[in-house]
Amino acid sequence: MGRRGRGVMRTALRNPETEVVAISEVYEPNIELALKMAPGVKVYRDFRDLLAANDIDAVCIMTPDHWHAYMTVEACKAGKDVYVEKPVSVTVHEGRMMVKAARKYKRIVQVGTQQRSGKHFEKAVEIVRSGKLGDISFVRTWNYGNEFPEGIGNPPDTDPPDDLDWDMWLGPAPKRAFNKNRFGYNPNHYSYFRWFWDYAGGMMTDWGVHLLDIVLWAMEEKGPRVITTVGGKYTLQDNRETPDTIQATYEFPGFACVYENRVANAQSMWDQGYGILFHGTEGTLFLDRSGWEIIPETRPIAAGSRQRMARLIGESGVRENETTTDHWADFIESMKTRKPPRSDIENGHRSTATCLLANVSLRSRQRIDWNPETETTDNKEARTYLRREYRPPWKLEL
């Protein structure tokens, strides 16, 4: 019931086919905020009691990333359909287990990559597939910002606050001393847990999954064949573990793709802090949450001439709908029809795995040759990052 959790609950409350009957949370201030939105709902301090409740058809999992896989698998086993936030997991193995659970227990699992329910995103995908851009050989995705030099700061380890169940918050993650940034609660920002390897994967998985999900969708790919990543924590002076600068390069059949993130320099040649560029022989498509634009490719006026044609006016489109609202409605419709949702767990896992593999390459300092069909690599160093051990008594099992 943190910032994102309450945001999605607000969407559920607006849907006439949804009745919010219960919440689960380990931090009392978040419970208080949620009860102001939905007075009278039942509160479960332990999510396992919520999953056992017979009056619940579906659950919405908005926890830190390290809980997504376990809760999704357990919800499927309990006969619940699931709406789970992205990224779906912190390891590739976890994501595949989520897919297996959904299939084994015949559950609908919608991933919160809500851009797939955006009409202008769907139009952009149609343009990419139509051939209008020509042959696409390169795709660029990025997030740029500037938090220099303090970043999220350097708070010391302390005892956890009395109104937080810190051990339950950690769950399957390693036992750690409480740190304000590891917990990450901030009323003015999304939680800082995103910047610690135990719980998440930095901007590579937090935002990269939104952008690369669209690339896989548009280019009709299951995953990259080669991944190489460079980067590190070069400038920020805070206690985060994930990089402040990263560049991941992916090789697919017929095209290359990069994801870049900088958090100490916000300069973008497009004057956009984030976005996707599909570069084709006939034009370039720029895409973000506000809309899309085609910039036709220019040609020399004459052979050997340095003059170029003036920039042509291309097609463009703007955002047409509220993506989170429609994404939730799609989830409810899938529950009724039992047909796959727009962001089925298989798609969410593939997009998340693409991001996770970039972090695997970074942390292992290795190039990864990847088989997206079998989800395997021969690189021994990389394989150590494809799964993780859970802290007892937690076990991820079907």
Side-chain angles (χ1 to χ4, degrees):
M1 287 289 101
R3 180 177 177 180
R4 180 60 181 165
R6 295 194 304 274
V8 175
M9 187 171 77
R10 189 174 295 112
T11 299
L13 288 167
R14 289 197 299 259
N15 189 294
E17 297 186 274
T18 305
E19 181 185 4
V20 179
V21 297
I23 62 171
S24 183
E25 172 63 56
V26 298
Y27 187 46
E28 291 298 324
N30 281 348
I31 293 176
E32 295 171 6
L33 291 170
L35 289 177
K36 290 179 181 179
M37 298 172 56
V41 300
K42 190 166 184 177
V43 177
Y44 293 91
R45 264 67 180 184
D46 190 322
F47 72 92
R48 291 169 292 188
D49 295 329
L50 184 149
L51 292 181
N54 294 325
D55 62 334
I56 295 172
D57 301 302
V59 296
C60 184
I61 300 172
M62 320 298 293
T63 62
D65 304 351
H66 70 287
W67 268 114
H68 289 177
Y70 183 88
M71 289 186 179
T72 296
V73 169
E74 292 301 307
C76 289
K77 290 160 67 173
K80 270 66 172 173
D81 292 327
V82 178
Y83 185 110
V84 59
E85 263 301 308
K86 57 79 217 165
V88 303
S89 62
V90 296
T91 69
V92 175
H93 168 256
E94 283 184 325
R96 181 47 60 190
M97 289 288 282
M98 295 165 80
V99 176
K100 289 181 178 179
R103 302 301 182 252
K104 179 177 180 178
Y105 298 102
K106 297 180 172 57
R107 294 295 93 200
I108 297 297
V109 180
Q110 172 89 301
V111 177
T113 44
Q114 70 273 13
Q115 292 176 166
R116 289 214 178 203
S117 289
K119 293 181 179 179
H120 78 277
F121 279 101
E122 188 172 6
K123 175 62 176 178
V125 168
E126 291 174 0
I127 292 170
V128 170
R129 294 181 180 181
S130 72
K132 183 177 291 187
L133 301 177
D135 293 332
I136 297 173
S137 59
F138 186 73
V139 182
R140 179 179 298 280
T141 65
W142 72 94
N143 293 104
Y144 300 148
N146 197 333
E147 303 173 27
F148 181 81
E150 294 88 359
I152 61 175
N154 285 283
D157 291 346
T158 64
D159 292 331
D162 293 336
D163 52 9
L164 168 68
D165 187 340
W166 177 238
D167 189 69
M168 179 62 93
W169 189 95
L170 288 172
K175 182 71 173 179
R176 303 287 188 195
F178 175 83
N179 184 277
K180 183 178 179 181
N181 278 349
R182 282 183 174 273
F183 175 45
Y185 177 82
N186 187 309
N188 301 315
H189 300 276
Y190 286 110
S191 295
Y192 296 154
F193 72 82
R194 292 162 167 80
W195 319 135
F196 294 87
W197 293 122
D198 285 346
Y199 325 119
M203 281 293 284
M204 185 69 249
T205 58
D206 190 58
W207 248 99
V209 68
H210 279 306
L211 305 176
L212 293 168
D213 179 62
I214 301 300
V215 175
L216 296 184
W217 182 22
M219 301 299 285
E220 301 181 89
E221 290 288 345
K222 292 183 177 180
R225 273 60 174 177
V226 178
I227 307 98
T228 56
T229 310
V230 295
K233 188 178 176 185
Y234 299 135
T235 59
L236 292 188
Q237 300 167 18
D238 56 19
N239 70 339
R240 81 179 65 202
E241 296 173 345
T242 57
D244 59 27
T245 307
I246 190 171
Q247 183 177 67
T249 303
Y250 300 98
E251 183 179 4
F252 294 85
F255 74 100
C257 174
V258 300
Y259 172 78
E260 294 180 343
N261 173 231
R262 299 193 302 264
V263 295
N265 179 280
Q267 171 61 32
S268 166
M269 292 183 290
W270 279 75
D271 294 324
Q272 299 286 346
Y274 75 99
I276 308 171
L277 288 169
F278 293 91
H279 294 278
T281 53
E282 300 300 320
T284 296
L285 173 70
F286 169 78
L287 175 63
D288 68 6
R289 291 183 175 178
S290 64
W292 56 269
E293 179 184 2
I294 296 177
I295 299 87
E297 189 70 357
T298 58
R299 300 288 199 282
I301 294 176
S305 172
R306 292 191 177 183
Q307 286 183 298
R308 293 278 179 174
M309 298 169 62
R311 173 175 165 173
L312 302 175
I313 303 299
E315 299 178 59
S316 63
V318 297
R319 176 174 176 165
E320 300 176 46
N321 66 316
E322 172 48 55
T323 55
T324 298
T325 298
D326 286 359
H327 207 54
W328 184 263
D330 177 71
F331 174 51
I332 302 302
E333 183 65 18
S334 291
M335 288 179 63
K336 293 191 294 183
T337 64
R338 311 314 294 176
K339 294 180 180 179
R342 282 182 174 268
S343 290
D344 177 66
I345 183 60
E346 177 71 42
N347 296 327
H349 163 60
R350 294 283 184 178
S351 299
T352 297
T354 298
C355 299
L356 291 172
L357 289 168
N359 281 340
V360 171
S361 173
L362 177 75
R363 300 179 74 186
S364 66
R365 313 306 290 180
Q366 300 287 319
R367 162 190 161 127
I368 301 174
D369 292 283
W370 182 250
N371 185 328
E373 297 291 340
T374 61
E375 297 186 341
T376 57
T377 178
D378 291 332
N379 188 300
K380 293 182 179 179
E381 291 85 355
R383 285 205 298 267
T384 63
Y385 291 96
L386 297 181
R387 59 191 303 157
R388 63 171 179 160
E389 295 297 322
Y390 275 27
R391 183 169 68 105
W394 307 102
K395 295 180 182 180
L396 185 65
E397 52 191 11
L398 298 180

